């Protein structure tokens, strides 16, 4: 894995989805990824509304995995004061973003203009429950 693997996310995406279980709350907004000056980090800016409540998140994804092929480090901060440390890995084109109480499986469309994410969360780190399902369409 290299930081250039992260290039697949660069751009502005229209975000749509819902919380789970169904019918859940609607999720609508944008996700934008851009390289921080110097290309040391990919910056992910989330601006969505979940069931009428605005959620803002800023996330930094490290551009290089460990020399042994380890995960990309991630740090996120949201408008409710929550800080999370996560990792991102990619295998056979499928991305996994994970921390101890939540994880997402992200798949990009073959043409690079769409992606989907399925989020799960856990109270104990062993039993996982569906949390959100999302789809994204590239705007630029």
């Amino acid at each position: 894995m290299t930081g250039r693997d992260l290039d697949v996310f660069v751009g502005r995406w229209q975000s749509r989805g819902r919380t789970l279980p169904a019918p859940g709350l609607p999720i609508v907004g944008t996700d934008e990824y851009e390289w921080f000056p110097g290309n040391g980090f990919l910056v992910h800016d989330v601006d969505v509304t979940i069931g009428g409540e605005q959620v803002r998140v800023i996330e930094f994804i490290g551009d290089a995995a460990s020399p042994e092929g380890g995960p990309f480090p991630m740090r996120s901060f949201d408008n409710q004061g929550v800080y999370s440390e996560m990792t991102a890995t990619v295998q056979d084109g499928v991305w996994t973003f994970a921390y101890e109480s939540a994880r997402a499986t992200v798949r990009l469309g073959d043409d690079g203009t769409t992606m989907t994410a399925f989020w799960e969360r856990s109270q104990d780190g062993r039993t996982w429950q569906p949390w959100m399902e999302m789809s994204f369409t590239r705007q630029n």
Side-chain angles (χ1 to χ4, degrees):
M1 289 189 298
T2 69
R4 300 289 60 148
D5 290 331
L6 296 168
D7 278 340
V8 297
F9 295 107
V10 173
R12 184 174 174 85
W13 300 79
Q14 177 67 45
S15 313
R16 295 194 181 281
R18 65 184 172 105
T19 61
L20 297 171
L25 299 172
I27 304 170
V28 178
T30 58
D31 283 64
E32 188 166 358
Y33 296 84
E34 66 181 335
W35 285 107
F36 194 72
N39 293 330
F41 293 91
L42 187 65
V43 180
H44 177 199
D45 182 11
V46 178
D47 185 358
V48 296
T49 301
I50 301 176
E53 181 179 339
Q54 184 177 27
V55 176
R56 293 294 312 263
V57 180
I58 191 80
E59 181 174 71
F60 296 88
I61 307 170
D63 82 332
S66 73
E68 298 82 33
F72 296 97
M74 302 172 65
R75 305 293 182 268
S76 69
F77 308 84
D78 74 18
N79 64 323
Q80 297 177 351
V82 176
Y83 164 76
S84 299
E85 293 186 21
M86 300 184 295
T87 58
T89 57
V90 61
Q91 183 172 5
D92 298 326
V94 177
W95 287 84
T96 301
F97 300 150
Y99 58 103
E100 61 187 42
S101 62
R103 63 187 180 194
T105 302
V106 180
R107 291 181 167 83
L108 282 99
D110 291 337
D111 64 359
T113 64
T114 61
M115 67 178 164
T116 60
F118 179 73
W119 281 91
E120 299 173 286
R121 61 182 167 184
S122 174
Q123 296 292 323
D124 60 12
R126 293 184 304 272
T127 306
W128 295 89
Q129 301 296 321
W131 180 20
M132 293 182 283
E133 59 183 7
M134 299 290 301
S135 63
F136 307 85
T137 304
R138 187 183 298 275
Q139 294 182 315
N140 66 0

